[in-house]
């Protein structure tokens, strides 16, 4: 529940201030990883039907958020104008989490 409230506040701020593009599907109402995948698949099928070459590279970004350096994330939030109570709540929440170190 907590994460949903924070996510909704941050996404609303980014949308109102036009800081998030239409190509962003995750975390947005009416969009999801599934809508992004379907849009991508439609483009690939169309390109193949037109006789174009298509190369695809797939990356598994499962739990990607847990691998983000917390200081970098907080810096980006501040840079995009997120401040005050919502930033303090996110910062406090991150203190209780340990990022996964990826080598």
């Amino acid at each position: 529940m907590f994460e949903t409230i924070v996510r909704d506040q941050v996404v609303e701020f980014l949308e109102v201030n036009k800081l998030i593009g239409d190509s962003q599907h995750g975390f947005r109402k009416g969009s999801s990883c599934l809508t992004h995948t379907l849009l991508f698949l439609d483009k690939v099928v169309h390109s193949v039907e037109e006789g174009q070459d298509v190369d695809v590279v797939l990356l598994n970004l499962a739990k990607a958020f847990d691998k983000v350096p917390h200081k970098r994330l907080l810096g980006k939030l501040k840079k995009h104008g997120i401040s005050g109570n919502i930033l303090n709540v996110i910062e406090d929440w991150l203190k209780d989490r340990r990022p996964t170190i990826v080598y």
Side-chain angles (χ1 to χ4, degrees):
M1 181 63 119
F2 168 75
E3 291 176 16
T4 301
I5 293 168
V6 171
R7 181 203 63 212
D8 290 349
Q9 292 291 312
V10 171
V11 170
E12 180 182 351
F13 177 86
L14 294 172
E15 287 177 340
V16 165
N17 291 286
K18 309 254 188 274
L19 296 171
I20 192 167
D22 291 337
S23 64
Q24 174 65 43
H25 284 254
F27 306 108
R28 299 182 78 190
K29 290 180 181 159
S31 296
S32 66
C33 292
L34 178 60
T35 59
H36 185 262
T37 301
L38 292 173
L39 181 63
F40 169 75
L41 183 59
D42 184 60
K43 288 181 180 183
V44 169
V45 169
H46 178 74
S47 295
V48 170
E49 288 174 346
E50 295 291 317
Q52 299 174 356
D53 293 331
V54 176
D55 294 320
V56 177
V57 176
L58 299 174
L59 303 172
N60 182 358
L61 298 177
K63 298 193 180 217
F65 177 77
D66 291 334
K67 294 172 177 62
V68 172
H70 294 165
K71 285 183 181 181
R72 185 179 303 161
L73 174 61
L74 290 169
K76 287 187 181 238
L77 291 172
K78 291 174 187 176
K79 181 179 176 184
H80 283 87
I82 295 173
S83 61
N85 288 337
I86 193 69
L87 182 65
N88 293 336
V89 167
I90 294 169
E91 192 167 15
D92 288 343
W93 182 71
L94 289 172
K95 286 178 186 174
D96 294 334
R97 299 178 59 89
R98 297 253 187 252
T100 303
I101 305 300
V102 179
Y103 296 98

